Amino acid sequence: MGLFTDLRDSISRAVDRMFSDAEPKRIGIYGPPNAGKTTLANRIARDWTGDAVGPESHIPHETRRARRKENVEIERNGKSVSIDIVDTPGVTTKVDYKEFLEHDMEKDDAVRRSREATEGVAEAMHWLREDVDGVIYVLDSSEDPFTQVNTMLIGIIESQDLPVLIFANKTDLEDSNVQRIANAFPQHETVPLSALEGNNMDEVYGKIAEYFG
């Protein structure tokens, strides 16, 4: 009986792996507000499906609920992967309604937006702890990466043992400094890109297929 039980269990595990590998990987796009997460999500979705994930804006916290684009098939360098893109709200330690007033927003709208953004942060953290199979971490390469939020999130990702790629976005900006991001998180590979301009997307797709495929 022991032999048959072991054989049955082995077959069961093999079948589970087959179906698991066939299912799209849920890849969360994380990072601080205004790093270009939705711009990148839209670039990936449009390139491989023709559709966008969500609206983009220069105003912080435009994405206040997680948005998901399913069954995005990416192929590069002989490797392929099927992913569900999860574009998450920007994570920050505090959302102050006053920052929205600087964008000519009425106070009531600013307060509502800050409340929704705070709820979005909580949702993003839930996805990270429960529902993603890998992480694309997007940073604005013109900004200092040494922040409490970035250190905290990278630490959580590592504690979850999730594969992670760090994308140094906005290389089209004059103040871009990709090496500063690579130095901040040397334990992870850093890939430069401009999601807005579409620069270096071939390498981006190659790394996504390699890491998550």
Side-chain angles (χ1 to χ4, degrees):
M1 289 295 291
L3 176 62
F4 288 109
T5 300
D6 291 343
L7 179 61
R8 182 191 62 197
D9 291 345
S10 297
I11 294 173
S12 178
R13 285 194 296 270
V15 171
D16 287 344
R17 283 195 299 270
M18 289 172 58
F19 281 101
S20 177
D21 291 342
E23 293 178 356
K25 307 283 198 325
R26 294 182 300 272
I27 305 302
I29 299 183
Y30 278 82
N34 273 23
K37 297 182 297 300
T38 300
T39 303
L40 176 60
N42 283 341
R43 171 71 63 177
I44 296 171
R46 287 192 181 107
D47 281 353
W48 297 96
T49 72
D51 298 322
V53 176
E56 305 166 24
S57 173
H58 66 283
I59 301 175
H61 303 287
E62 179 64 30
T63 302
R64 299 184 296 283
R65 303 293 298 181
R67 300 187 181 99
R68 184 170 175 173
K69 183 67 177 175
E70 298 181 339
N71 297 314
V72 180
E73 301 278 349
I74 295 176
E75 297 182 7
R76 272 297 183 275
N77 305 323
K79 298 180 182 294
S80 64
V81 64
S82 177
I83 64 174
D84 291 349
I85 298 172
V86 183
D87 180 28
T88 67
V91 177
T92 183
T93 55
K94 180 182 179 182
V95 182
D96 190 342
Y97 79 91
K98 293 178 182 177
E99 66 180 307
F100 300 115
L101 298 178
E102 299 173 1
H103 297 276
D104 298 325
M105 197 174 292
E106 295 294 332
K107 182 177 179 179
D108 288 346
D109 290 336
V111 170
R112 174 184 53 79
R113 192 183 184 100
S114 65
R115 183 173 60 250
E116 292 173 351
T118 301
E119 294 171 353
V121 170
E123 181 185 17
M125 298 308 295
H126 173 79
W127 272 92
L128 183 58
R129 291 190 171 96
E130 303 291 341
D131 292 319
V132 296
D133 302 307
V135 172
I136 291 171
Y137 199 84
V138 183
L139 289 167
D140 181 342
S141 61
S142 69
E143 299 287 340
D144 185 358
F146 288 103
T147 67
Q148 180 182 0
V149 166
N150 291 333
T151 302
M152 175 193 71
L153 280 177
I154 293 297
I156 292 173
I157 292 165
E158 290 173 344
S159 71
Q160 296 288 97
D161 199 26
L162 294 169
V164 57
L165 275 172
I166 295 181
F167 287 166
N169 192 28
K170 303 190 180 183
T171 56
D172 54 297
L173 298 182
E174 185 177 348
D175 295 334
S176 171
N177 187 338
V178 175
Q179 191 59 47
R180 181 168 55 182
I181 292 176
N183 291 341
F185 305 105
Q187 69 273 37
H188 301 292
E189 185 166 6
T190 297
V191 182
L193 77 149
S194 169
L196 181 65
E197 300 293 334
N199 297 339
N200 203 38
M201 293 306 297
D202 276 344
E203 182 179 2
V204 166
Y205 293 139
K207 291 299 181 182
I208 290 175
E210 176 186 346
Y211 269 65
F212 306 124

